[in-house]
Amino acid sequence: MRIVKSVQTKVCTDGSLMKEFILDEPLTAGFLAFLGSFGTVREYSHMKSPYFSFEQEHFISIKGFCGETDVEVRYKKEFSDLTADYFHLLLYYSREGEAGKAKMHEITSAIWEKMKTRFPAPEGPG
């Protein structure tokens, strides 16, 4: 999956940056499984279209519908400059299977290290 278009960008009242993207392919259950390696995925399959949310604390949150091509991504205010490319990287490495997971874990750890030097950050990902 790749981003085709950025539809909307705005700063939310809590200071986070929200971006809405259009992807070249619909969001899939496989992508959600990949996301589960990096944070908390919640699926709401009881809805007319299966809705999901993903959150990696202090990084980003992602919301959308499985089978759709549009997605909302929010970047946390304090670290948005460090995590600005994180969604792009998730999309890219999700195609790589286990090797992609390993690479994303390396990237995530490197970002956490940068976060800790800026502010006393909470515990990083497990």
Side-chain angles (χ1 to χ4, degrees), residues 2-19:
R2 293 189 335 236
I3 295 171
V4 174
K5 183 178 180 182
S6 178
V7 179
Q8 174 177 253
T9 301
K10 69 179 181 179
V11 176
C12 300
T13 57
D14 67 355
S16 63
L17 180 65
M18 189 279 293
K19 291 188 173 194

Side-chain angles (χ1 to χ4, degrees), residues 9-118:
T9 301
K10 69 179 181 179
V11 176
C12 300
T13 57
D14 67 355
S16 63
L17 180 65
M18 189 279 293
K19 291 188 173 194
E20 186 178 343
F21 297 111
I22 304 295
L23 306 176
D24 67 341
E25 298 175 31
L27 294 162
T28 65
F31 181 65
L32 296 185
F34 182 80
L35 289 179
S37 299
F38 304 100
T40 304
V41 175
R42 290 185 176 85
E43 295 182 65
Y44 304 92
S45 55
H46 64 281
M47 299 176 74
K48 186 175 180 179
S49 294
Y51 180 79
F52 78 92
S53 68
F54 164 79
E55 182 162 0
Q56 184 174 31
E57 192 174 14
H58 304 292
F59 274 61
I60 64 173
S61 65
I62 303 169
K63 297 178 182 177
F65 291 92
C66 286
E68 298 289 328
T69 57
D70 58 321
V71 63
E72 177 187 294
V73 180
R74 289 181 189 251
Y75 301 90
K76 305 300 181 188
K77 174 179 128 179
E78 300 83 6
F79 304 112
S80 61
D81 61 320
L82 297 175
T83 60
D85 293 331
Y86 199 74
F87 180 61
H88 302 309
L89 294 168
L90 286 168
L91 290 171
Y92 178 80
Y93 286 110
S94 69
R95 301 180 281 205
E96 306 291 318
E98 290 302 316
K101 280 184 190 178
K103 184 62 178 171
M104 277 306 302
H105 282 295
E106 287 177 28
I107 291 167
T108 302
S109 294
I111 293 171
W112 272 108
E113 289 304 313
K114 290 176 185 175
M115 290 170 143
K116 288 193 293 187
T117 62
R118 183 178 298 174

